[in-house]
Amino acid sequence: MKKLLLLALAFNFSTVSLTYAQSTKTQKEVFQSTYNSLKALVKTQQYTYAGEVVYNNKNREILNAEENTIKIDKRTASGTVTSLSTEKKAFDLNGTISDYNASFDDAQQIITIEFKVQSESQTVNVFIDVRPNGNAFLTASVGGSNSISWTGRLK
């Protein structure tokens, strides 16, 4: 009787362990719905980038995501990319979009977006890298060495 009880108890633990092991999701599975939603949003070419942090190699500052936005609407962009308060520079992104290219790496769940914005005074190159967890890294540059980097999200 004692052996039967121990055998039943051992079987019960192995069943619980097997059920738990089958329900564990991979990181890719966890982020799949986020990736699919962002992919569909980017394909419409109508979205808003909300900047949360501006940074360079040494410093970072928190941004107000409601105020620091860039709106992409098919062929036009609107907004301003601002740098750290100590650098006091900004890029005007109110203008026409050209060379828009979005690529989707389904295996890695990474979205890359590149385009140029022609404003009245300059052409700004914009690169956005969207990671599987939804974080989006934006770099805006004029010329080779003059750039501003933000971390934020697409909406």
Side-chain angles (χ1 to χ4, degrees):
M1 183 70 169
K2 208 176 200 183
K3 289 182 182 181
L4 185 58
L5 183 60
L6 288 173
L7 185 61
L9 190 59
F11 179 72
N12 189 23
F13 283 128
S14 66
T15 304
V16 170
S17 297
L18 183 61
T19 303
Y20 178 74
Q22 289 177 350
S23 67
T24 303
K25 291 185 176 183
T26 65
Q27 181 175 337
K28 186 174 180 177
E29 291 169 332
V30 170
F31 293 136
Q32 189 65 47
S33 64
T34 302
Y35 174 72
N36 290 340
S37 298
L38 289 171
K39 183 177 178 180
L41 182 65
V42 169
K43 284 184 175 183
T44 67
Q45 292 184 16
Q46 293 180 305
Y47 51 89
T48 300
Y49 181 94
E52 298 170 346
V53 176
V54 60
Y55 62 93
N56 64 18
N57 291 337
K58 297 178 183 177
N59 299 309
R60 64 179 51 208
E61 291 176 9
I62 304 294
L63 297 171
N64 181 340
E66 298 300 318
E67 295 175 6
N68 293 285
T69 61
I70 300 165
K71 184 176 180 182
I72 307 301
D73 190 8
K74 299 212 184 266
R75 292 284 169 218
T76 60
S78 59
T80 303
V81 179
T82 57
S83 68
L84 293 165
S85 59
T86 57
E87 294 178 358
K88 295 181 176 35
K89 69 179 171 185
F91 297 147
D92 177 18
L93 292 182
N94 295 301
T96 306
I97 293 175
S98 63
D99 299 333
Y100 185 94
N101 183 35
S103 60
F104 307 96
D105 182 344
D106 293 335
Q108 298 290 321
Q109 296 178 327
I110 296 173
I111 302 169
T112 54
I113 307 162
E114 295 179 75
F115 57 90
K116 296 178 183 176
V117 178
Q118 180 63 52
S119 67
E120 289 183 19
S121 60
Q122 62 192 354
T123 299
V124 181
N125 297 309
V126 179
F127 177 80
I128 303 172
D129 185 36
V130 185
R131 309 310 280 173
N133 62 1
N135 287 339
F137 300 89
L138 177 142
T139 301
S141 64
V142 175
S145 61
N146 194 8
S147 67
I148 299 172
S149 297
W150 279 6
T151 300
R153 296 196 170 272
L154 296 183
K155 296 180 181 180

